[in-house]
Amino acid sequence: AMLDQDSGLPLTIARIVQRLKGSSLHSHLERQARVSLHKPEIKLESLKEDIKDFLKTSGWEKKLQNAVYSELNMFPSPCHPAAPPEHMKEPLAYMRKAQGSWEKRILKSLNSMCTELSIPLAQKRPVSEQKELLNKWNEMGTDEPDLSLFRPVYAPKDFLEVLMNLRNPNYENGEQPSFRNHLGLIQVPLKVKDIPELKEEFSELSLNIGQLGIDDSAQVPPEFFENEHVRVGQKVLAEQDSAAAQQYVRQGSPTALRADLWALILNISNQPEDILYYEQLKSNVIQHNLLVDSLIYKDVKLTASNDDYYFVFEDYLYQVLLCFSRDTSVLEHFTYSSATPPKSYIRGKLGMEEYAVFYPPNGVIPFHGFSMYVAPLCFLYHEPSKLYQIFREMYVRFFFRLHSISSHPSGIVSLCLLFETLLQTHLPQLFYHLREIGAQPLRISFKWMVRAFSGYLATDQLLLLWDRILGYNSLEILAVLAAAVFAFRAVNLMEVTSLAAAEAVLADLSTLKVMPLLQIFLFATVT
């Protein structure tokens, strides 16, 4: 399904070959092939076939397959060869433009903070400070710098205001026929799935299929399903096949296998060169002080440090997020993201391209709540470089879509529209009631979706939800869950008469069970 159009196939192959050429996997494969030449079973007359067989039996072919699969999962299917490169970023011009002006606003906010506090965007740390930071690298949380003057560059609600004002200029005052009756806050015409299409997409979640996270399935006693599921999971791990692992976690991942399954799906193996790369990022943090460091620090203090589940991971969060801000390999994802990394100019050289640098080096300015993308992963990975790589991969595959403006089905605009459409179609009374009292549902659910529900659900439930994000390689499930939460609390919500009261009904999601909610909403709703 990933490669529908025939014309796209050679392009896709060419791109993947190009991308793998520079990878460490390529050099490992070359080295292995060279080593194999000295083996007795390799004959000169059948050299090519023998080397292929050797790579197969020694497990290298599987590694190559996983790398190719990983590329296919990340990149959009190729555009028409003649299409300009910005089409790969975002095909709709008005979306690109909106994203551009939003970036200008963020940058302005960052720069004015610099000016107000008269601190530079970046500076080398004095040697004494470098030593001190190195010594307390594993307990940065004990530090209590005064951050009262720093403020988050933006919060989700500022971003929602921007999305509410998006319009397609081709349709004057909402004249598009099918769309005229959409009464939500999002006013752009994008195609989103209806319940029958969602049922088909998420067919593995249906009521007659075993699920982890469902306690009392009528079909199968849960412990019988769990034991069998664990056995299959161990087999999937032994096979080391990313595609099989991805299919497997659609039914949920057993707690004991989850860390390894996610790493396999994301194709993260934590090789010596990866650990070395992480150490390089760390030394970069030690040497230079960036303004974003204070933003990261403040965000962790405002979010994860106050969270009952995550406060214990405070030090991991600093390590991962500070290294992430220095990681220039993250810049690659901008080829398929609607966003563009912000530029900063060396003092006195404003506008001169040869003096421009990306700032921060990874091109990503953190916003209020950003650290909550990392926090849940700390339950699964305790080795910093592995935790780091998993987070970086989750970010460049999924999380970047939650804070950039695009028409992608997993982008936040589509998720908002999907959420509103599901509510308006399947719970019209509730939708109209909340709209009438000035409690537009999206005002409440937006923050859940932007954070992929991190910090809102109990952790075991969140991990079951993220299993499905990885399993379906899609964020659409976030919108479905948000709608399901409203459906679940509909009776109480029909009673409220203000936004504040509606927010109170939905203030605590920590007792919710994700899988039953999703199943009931998708498969027991009368359509």
Side-chain angles (χ1 to χ4, degrees), residues 368-429:
H368 178 56
F370 194 83
S371 44
M372 297 306 278
Y373 291 146
V374 188
L377 300 171
C378 299
F379 274 101
L380 302 181
Y381 305 96
H382 307 123
E383 202 269 298
S385 78
K386 179 97 180 247
L387 168 65
Y388 177 73
Q389 291 168 67
I390 296 280
F391 164 66
R392 179 181 65 194
E393 196 63 23
M394 288 289 283
Y395 181 81
V396 301
R397 282 197 192 198
F398 302 114
F399 298 146
F400 77 92
R401 297 201 184 279
L402 296 173
H403 61 96
S404 47
I405 301 173
S406 80
S407 59
H408 191 280
S410 277
I412 190 69
V413 185
S414 296
L415 299 185
C416 291
L417 193 54
L418 175 57
F419 164 76
E420 291 192 322
T421 309
L422 287 172
L423 275 194
Q424 191 181 333
T425 314
H426 298 286
L427 295 157
Q429 276 177 299

Side-chain angles (χ1 to χ4, degrees), residues 7 17 54 80 103 128 143 192 205 234 256-257 284 291 333 394 420 425 429 460 511 520:
S7 63
V17 169
F54 166 74
H80 188 275
E103 285 165 12
S128 58
D143 221 18
V192 292
L205 306 185
Q234 287 160 336
L257 307 182
N284 198 319
L291 169 69
H333 89 282
M394 288 289 283
E420 291 192 322
T425 314
Q429 276 177 299
D460 62 323
T511 56
I520 290 164

